[in-house]
Amino acid sequence: MEHVGQVLGFPSSVAPALGFTGYPSLLNEQFDLVKPAALVVREPTVSLLERIDKAITTPSAQSRIVLTGDSGSGKSAVLLQTVSHCLSAGWVVIYVPKASSWVNSSFAYSKVVNSPLFVQPTLASSIASQINNINKPALSKIVTSEAVRVRNQDIAEGTTLSSLLETGAKDPSMSQDILEVFMKEIGNQNEIPTLIAVDELNCFFRPTQYLGQDGKELDPEFLRLPRLLLNYISGKSSLNHGAVVSATSDTQLEHKSEVLDIALGLKQVSPHYKLPQNLMSWTQGLTRFDVPNYTRTEAKGVFDYYKKGDIFFDTASETLFLNRFITSGGNPRKFFTACAKGI
């Protein structure tokens, strides 16, 4: 815990990779205001990373962690620190900072012939490109274990996973199938551990804004791209080595998931509420990891970082720190707002 309270920037090898995915919206606001982009080392950061380091030799089904906590407690920041840590350690990382964009009907979709499932070709193509750009050095070392045929194209045994994803990125009509081949290959190999990190997880546990042929909202399991990650989040599929870490978000109330809250023990089941069993089936075995508000040590480190960024309207004194810490209750989001906007 010796580094708790220190504010550290992203390693030079990690910052460019994160540029391909972007950051969660609220963290992006902070990074736009205070340069360079950095995050405070927190007690939950250290505890979580210790658990993740142990997952390097175990199946991901044994390490399926969901970050929970009060609104604005810093769940997204701790998840981002986990992503940065794993990238620095040479892991393959699949990072989804805004799960809401996968389910809010902002991408074209179409029904799969003779199937109840739907595909999102443009989104899948974009995700294939992101994963490849973030992990290209690692994926250039891993090759496919068998020959496969995707649509009308043969993928030879021994093709690098980087080349595989390039194929999916170039042709949206193949992108979903390519991603499924990729996940199978990355999950079965034993050379490099893999982290799946999903922010706004609750969006995957409530009806989406996509409509089925009957005009009703589709559940996420009927979209092949969210379903692909749900398989690993739920443990129905597993990576040979690695972990799945997600974070809940209640920034937008319309994205809240009563099913997930109940599954994680955040909410009691009403005797009058009939749980949707199709969504509950994806919640089995999830481990809850609570992220509390800042300790005084953590908040002081962040205050000094803000001071260097010159974001205060008032003189950045010890008195001002105590005022901002006490009035915000140590809540990271409220602390940032109090420091940056004086409210």
Side-chain angles (χ1 to χ4, degrees):
M1 295 288 185
E2 61 179 303
H3 297 297
V4 170
Q6 295 182 19
V7 176
L8 303 178
F10 298 108
S12 58
S13 60
V14 170
L18 293 176
F20 291 109
T21 63
Y23 303 106
S25 299
L26 293 172
L27 285 179
N28 205 46
E29 180 183 352
Q30 174 182 306
F31 296 157
D32 283 344
L33 185 62
V34 190
K35 307 291 185 181
L39 293 169
V40 64
V41 179
R42 303 186 57 193
E43 292 178 9
T45 310
V46 176
S47 297
L48 179 59
L49 295 185
E50 288 175 351
R51 293 174 65 169
I52 296 304
D53 285 341
K54 293 177 182 177
I56 195 170
T57 59
T58 59
S60 66
Q62 297 180 19
S63 301
R64 293 179 292 118
I65 301 166
V66 181
L67 308 185
T68 59
D70 293 339
S71 178
S73 67
K75 300 179 290 294
S76 293
V78 173
L79 181 64
L80 182 56
Q81 288 172 316
T82 305
V83 168
S84 176
H85 174 79
C86 289
L87 283 171
S88 296
W91 290 42
V92 171
V93 174
I94 300 166
Y95 178 40
V96 183
K98 299 174 184 175
S100 57
S101 67
W102 288 31
V103 296
N104 64 4
S105 194
S106 57
F107 289 90
Y109 71 120
S110 60
K111 189 175 181 296
V112 179
V113 178
N114 298 323
S115 168
L117 305 181
F118 292 75
V119 291
Q120 300 155 286
T122 306
L123 176 59
S125 173
S126 174
I127 297 303
S129 178
Q130 285 180 16
I131 294 173
N132 190 35
N133 287 328
I134 293 168
N135 302 285
K136 187 167 287 188
L139 297 181
S140 297
K141 300 175 184 177
I142 307 172
V143 299
T144 54
S145 60
E146 60 183 3
V148 294
R149 186 170 181 80
V150 179
R151 299 279 175 156
N152 295 317
Q153 184 163 338
D154 292 316
I155 307 295
E157 178 183 347
T159 300
T160 68
L161 295 194
S162 178
S163 296
L164 176 71
L165 288 176
E166 284 179 0
T167 301
K170 292 176 182 176
D171 188 347
S173 70
M174 297 173 58
S175 54
Q176 180 64 44
D177 294 321
I178 290 290
L179 282 172
E180 291 175 7
V181 172
F182 167 77
M183 289 303 298
K184 179 181 177 182
E185 291 287 351
I186 202 67
N188 288 339
Q189 57 86 35
N190 297 306
E191 301 168 44
I192 302 175
T194 300
L195 172 73
I196 298 174
V198 180
D199 208 342
E200 302 181 336
L201 178 66
N202 33 287
C203 292
F204 284 177
F205 289 89
R206 57 166 294 113
T208 74
Q209 292 178 274
Y210 287 94
L211 302 180
Q213 291 180 308
D214 58 1
K216 296 180 180 179
E217 295 175 327
L218 290 170
D219 284 334
E221 65 188 272
F222 291 101
L223 296 172
R224 280 176 61 184
L225 189 55
R227 184 187 182 95
L228 182 60
L229 291 194
L230 276 169
N231 279 322
Y232 293 90
I233 292 165
S234 66
K236 294 180 180 181
S237 297
S238 184
L239 307 160
N240 280 358
H241 301 290
V244 182
V245 184
S246 306
T248 60
S249 171
D250 55 6
T251 302
Q252 296 175 297
L253 293 178
E254 67 269 23
H255 293 156
K256 285 185 70 65
S257 167
E258 192 167 28
V259 167
L260 188 60
D261 286 349
I262 290 171
L264 295 171
L266 298 171
K267 185 174 183 177
Q268 296 299 314
V269 183
S270 166
H272 307 292
Y273 181 66
K274 185 177 180 180
L275 290 171
Q277 293 304 312
N278 59 318
L279 289 176
M280 286 298 295
S281 68
W282 300 94
T283 67
Q284 303 304 310
L286 295 176
T287 300
R288 173 178 158 186
F289 184 97
D290 291 330
V291 178
N293 290 333
Y294 284 149
T295 63
R296 179 169 172 168
T297 298
E298 293 165 356
K300 187 60 168 67
V302 174
F303 183 85
D304 291 341
Y305 164 62
Y306 291 163
K307 181 178 179 180
K308 291 178 181 178
D310 194 26
I311 71 169
F312 295 102
F313 292 101
D314 303 307
T315 303
S317 62
E318 182 68 16
T319 300
L320 184 65
F321 163 68
L322 290 174
N323 174 271
R324 298 297 188 253
F325 180 60
I326 293 171
T327 56
S328 67
N331 180 274
R333 186 185 305 159
K334 292 178 181 178
F335 187 71
F336 168 70
T337 300
C339 291
K341 302 176 183 178
I343 55 175

